[in-house]
Amino acid sequence: QMQLVESGGGLVQAGGSLRLSCSATGRTFSMHALGWFRQAPGKEREFVAAISGLGISTYYADSVKGRFTISRDNTKNTMYLQMDSLKPGDTAVYYCKSLNYYGDYDPRHYAYWGQGTQVTVSS
């Protein structure tokens, strides 16, 4: 079973950028659609972005469209989330997840979540 570990979070000022990474173990990385989710304090976990197994298709939540870019390098078993023009509202713990299928963006469909990586955007 593929294991995913998030990294790259930190503290940044509004308008700044961060790049998150999601590293995976296992030999079937390219077979899996992947997604980024986030959970802010006191709020439900929400979908952020998704990418298909070969990286051909991507999809974004409206709240991050045009500011965030999801990508993957299947030779390195790693997925990325480039976050630009960050806003205080982007403050959350960010999680990467192997999707049940490309298009299944409902976080309630997933039972197990890793530790995530904290992103804090100051105003």
Side-chain angles (χ1 to χ4, degrees), residues 56-77:
I56 295 173
S57 299
T58 59
Y59 184 76
Y60 298 91
D62 288 343
S63 59
V64 306
K65 199 174 298 181
R67 300 187 299 119
F68 290 10
T69 303
I70 190 171
S71 62
R72 64 192 296 165
D73 184 341
N74 287 345
T75 66
K76 297 181 179 179
N77 277 18

Side-chain angles (χ1 to χ4, degrees), residues 19-65:
R19 189 176 81 155
L20 305 184
S21 297
C22 173
S23 298
T25 58
R27 294 181 291 179
T28 62
F29 183 75
S30 63
M31 297 175 62
H32 295 267
L34 301 174
W36 286 99
F37 296 80
R38 69 185 181 185
Q39 186 168 21
K43 295 188 177 181
E44 294 186 351
R45 189 174 281 119
E46 64 177 1
F47 166 78
V48 174
I51 188 165
S52 59
L54 297 181
I56 295 173
S57 299
T58 59
Y59 184 76
Y60 298 91
D62 288 343
S63 59
V64 306
K65 199 174 298 181

Side-chain angles (χ1 to χ4, degrees), residues 56-105:
I56 295 173
S57 299
T58 59
Y59 184 76
Y60 298 91
D62 288 343
S63 59
V64 306
K65 199 174 298 181
R67 300 187 299 119
F68 290 10
T69 303
I70 190 171
S71 62
R72 64 192 296 165
D73 184 341
N74 287 345
T75 66
K76 297 181 179 179
N77 277 18
T78 303
M79 175 178 67
Y80 306 98
L81 185 68
Q82 177 66 40
M83 305 186 295
D84 299 317
S85 302
L86 282 162
K87 305 174 182 180
D90 295 317
T91 295
V93 178
Y94 284 71
Y95 303 88
C96 61
K97 196 69 182 167
S98 175
L99 301 180
N100 293 325
Y101 55 86
Y102 184 74
D104 189 2
Y105 308 140

